[in-house]
Amino acid sequence: MSQNLVPVGSLPKTSRLDDAIKEVINGLVQKAQPTDLVDTEKLVSNQAMRVEVIRPTVAALIFEKHNRINRQLTPSRVYDYQDAMKRGEWKVHHQGIAFYSDHTLADGQHRMAALALAGLELPFSIYPNFAKDAIDAIDRTVRRTAGEALQMMGYEDAKVKAAVAKGAMEYASELESGKKPRFTDPQIERFVIDNDHRLSEAVRIGRESLKNVSDACLGEGEAALLSQLMIMGGYPVFHVVGFISSIQQGVATYPESPTVDLSRQFVKAKFSDNSKDRLNKKEKMALALKGAALWTEGKSVARVKWNPVKETLPTNRPPIELKSAA
């Protein structure tokens, strides 16, 4: 074995490792067979650029024995990569793993940790003899977003749809699980691809709601997100259009309609300097959906309230069965 290797059981001291990651990697290393050690040494010492399938034990050995001088490990990134790998989203591309001439891992520690946790065998591009003075040239640019990727695929309003999709996915997931979720760009892209027609409708409604309205209380993206959530929940499009239009214009379709109070609250949140009046995206959607249920049943209300501490997220489903307009 190479003289540059760190003794088994000595994880990188510069890395922030949570106990779960450390336990899995240590466990794999302790179970490593002689063939795993040999294969790992062959992989890191091979001087050719190529693509190889790496198994979890080898990934753990690379991470623990060759990852000595790297930036701090971010556990959340490891878990994101792990989840993506398990969903089958991992694709071979130019940025796999790289080694310095002394067999030290130069790039790819998060990918190797994720592969170890995922328990899968996956192909990676491997770059040997990485120059140490070139390390500052990688990971310096902003990564391609889901919106940019969808735009390159030819989707109309790709960036707006990606933002609406992300917001809708987060709200729906938290509504179901009670926990704040994390979604990867490939997940957002897949949602847009699978729901493009609905998203096009939501974006159209969001834009139309701003026409002939001065100082609309909801921005185009917020109105589109609310539209998407309501359509996903089963509200007919004509119903969504009427509700959001009433909020944007601040008008009542019947005495003490919740649309008037929602409009007041959203205007105050938009223009007030008082931090107590401000509302984040989730709070706006929660209030709007609670108001949508009241409006659908024709209930009068002086003020729409939602307490994030004491109440769960309001559902995006209508409280009564609604029929689409013919």
Side-chain angles (χ1 to χ4, degrees), residues 166-225:
K166 182 174 183 290
M169 292 167 70
E170 289 174 342
Y171 192 98
S173 180
E174 187 170 348
L175 180 63
E176 181 179 349
S177 67
K179 298 178 182 179
K180 188 174 181 179
R182 293 173 62 90
F183 291 105
T184 63
D185 285 342
Q187 286 178 289
I188 296 169
E189 292 162 23
R190 175 48 55 189
F191 184 94
V192 173
I193 292 169
D194 292 342
N195 298 275
D196 187 48
H197 178 72
R198 280 183 173 180
L199 285 163
S200 294
E201 194 74 78
V203 171
R204 180 190 66 79
I205 294 171
R207 285 182 181 154
E208 291 289 332
S209 75
L210 270 65
K211 289 185 177 180
N212 302 318
V213 178
S214 59
D215 296 328
C217 59
L218 291 175
E220 178 183 313
E222 294 172 330
L225 174 55

Side-chain angles (χ1 to χ4, degrees), residues 121-134:
E121 296 185 9
L122 295 173
F124 286 80
S125 57
I126 301 172
Y127 190 102
N129 289 322
F130 190 86
K132 289 190 176 181
D133 61 359

Side-chain angles (χ1 to χ4, degrees), residues 83-243:
D83 291 343
M85 290 173 182
K86 285 186 173 182
R87 289 192 301 268
E89 295 171 2
W90 176 255
K91 298 177 183 178
V92 179
H93 48 75
H94 65 286
Q95 194 169 9
I97 58 175
F99 296 95
Y100 296 122
S101 59
D102 64 357
H103 305 169
T104 299
L105 186 65
D107 185 36
Q109 63 168 343
H110 291 89
R111 300 180 190 95
M112 290 298 94
L115 184 60
L117 267 64
L120 301 172
E121 296 185 9
L122 295 173
F124 286 80
S125 57
I126 301 172
Y127 190 102
N129 289 322
F130 190 86
K132 289 190 176 181
D133 61 359
I135 193 66
D136 61 353
I138 64 173
D139 294 333
R140 288 290 185 173
T141 57
V142 177
R143 69 179 184 179
R144 185 178 295 127
T145 64
E148 290 167 336
L150 288 161
Q151 190 172 43
M152 293 174 71
M153 296 178 202
Y155 282 86
E156 188 176 358
D157 296 317
K159 293 183 179 180
V160 177
K161 287 178 179 176
V164 171
K166 182 174 183 290
M169 292 167 70
E170 289 174 342
Y171 192 98
S173 180
E174 187 170 348
L175 180 63
E176 181 179 349
S177 67
K179 298 178 182 179
K180 188 174 181 179
R182 293 173 62 90
F183 291 105
T184 63
D185 285 342
Q187 286 178 289
I188 296 169
E189 292 162 23
R190 175 48 55 189
F191 184 94
V192 173
I193 292 169
D194 292 342
N195 298 275
D196 187 48
H197 178 72
R198 280 183 173 180
L199 285 163
S200 294
E201 194 74 78
V203 171
R204 180 190 66 79
I205 294 171
R207 285 182 181 154
E208 291 289 332
S209 75
L210 270 65
K211 289 185 177 180
N212 302 318
V213 178
S214 59
D215 296 328
C217 59
L218 291 175
E220 178 183 313
E222 294 172 330
L225 174 55
L226 177 56
S227 300
Q228 177 65 23
L229 285 168
M230 292 181 70
I231 292 171
M232 283 171 58
Y235 283 94
V237 170
F238 81 92
H239 194 96
V240 176
V241 171
F243 177 65

Side-chain angles (χ1 to χ4, degrees), residues 11-166:
L11 286 166
K13 294 180 180 179
T14 57
S15 296
R16 285 193 300 110
L17 292 168
D18 70 10
D19 292 339
I21 296 175
K22 189 183 300 184
E23 182 179 353
V24 171
I25 292 177
N26 271 326
L28 286 171
V29 169
Q30 296 304 320
K31 294 177 182 178
Q33 301 297 310
T35 53
D36 294 318
L37 297 169
V38 170
D39 288 346
T40 301
E41 183 62 16
K42 286 181 180 178
L43 187 148
V44 302
S45 61
N46 190 326
Q47 300 302 297
M49 286 185 288
R50 75 278 185 198
V51 173
E52 283 194 32
V53 173
I54 302 177
R55 56 185 184 269
T57 305
V58 172
L61 287 166
I62 290 172
F63 182 89
E64 184 171 343
K65 299 177 71 175
H66 295 268
N67 185 33
R68 294 186 293 125
I69 47 174
N70 220 317
R71 60 183 170 176
Q72 278 198 331
L73 190 95
T74 305
S76 61
R77 182 176 298 177
V78 173
Y79 291 123
D80 284 347
Y81 285 172
Q82 175 199 12
D83 291 343
M85 290 173 182
K86 285 186 173 182
R87 289 192 301 268
E89 295 171 2
W90 176 255
K91 298 177 183 178
V92 179
H93 48 75
H94 65 286
Q95 194 169 9
I97 58 175
F99 296 95
Y100 296 122
S101 59
D102 64 357
H103 305 169
T104 299
L105 186 65
D107 185 36
Q109 63 168 343
H110 291 89
R111 300 180 190 95
M112 290 298 94
L115 184 60
L117 267 64
L120 301 172
E121 296 185 9
L122 295 173
F124 286 80
S125 57
I126 301 172
Y127 190 102
N129 289 322
F130 190 86
K132 289 190 176 181
D133 61 359
I135 193 66
D136 61 353
I138 64 173
D139 294 333
R140 288 290 185 173
T141 57
V142 177
R143 69 179 184 179
R144 185 178 295 127
T145 64
E148 290 167 336
L150 288 161
Q151 190 172 43
M152 293 174 71
M153 296 178 202
Y155 282 86
E156 188 176 358
D157 296 317
K159 293 183 179 180
V160 177
K161 287 178 179 176
V164 171
K166 182 174 183 290

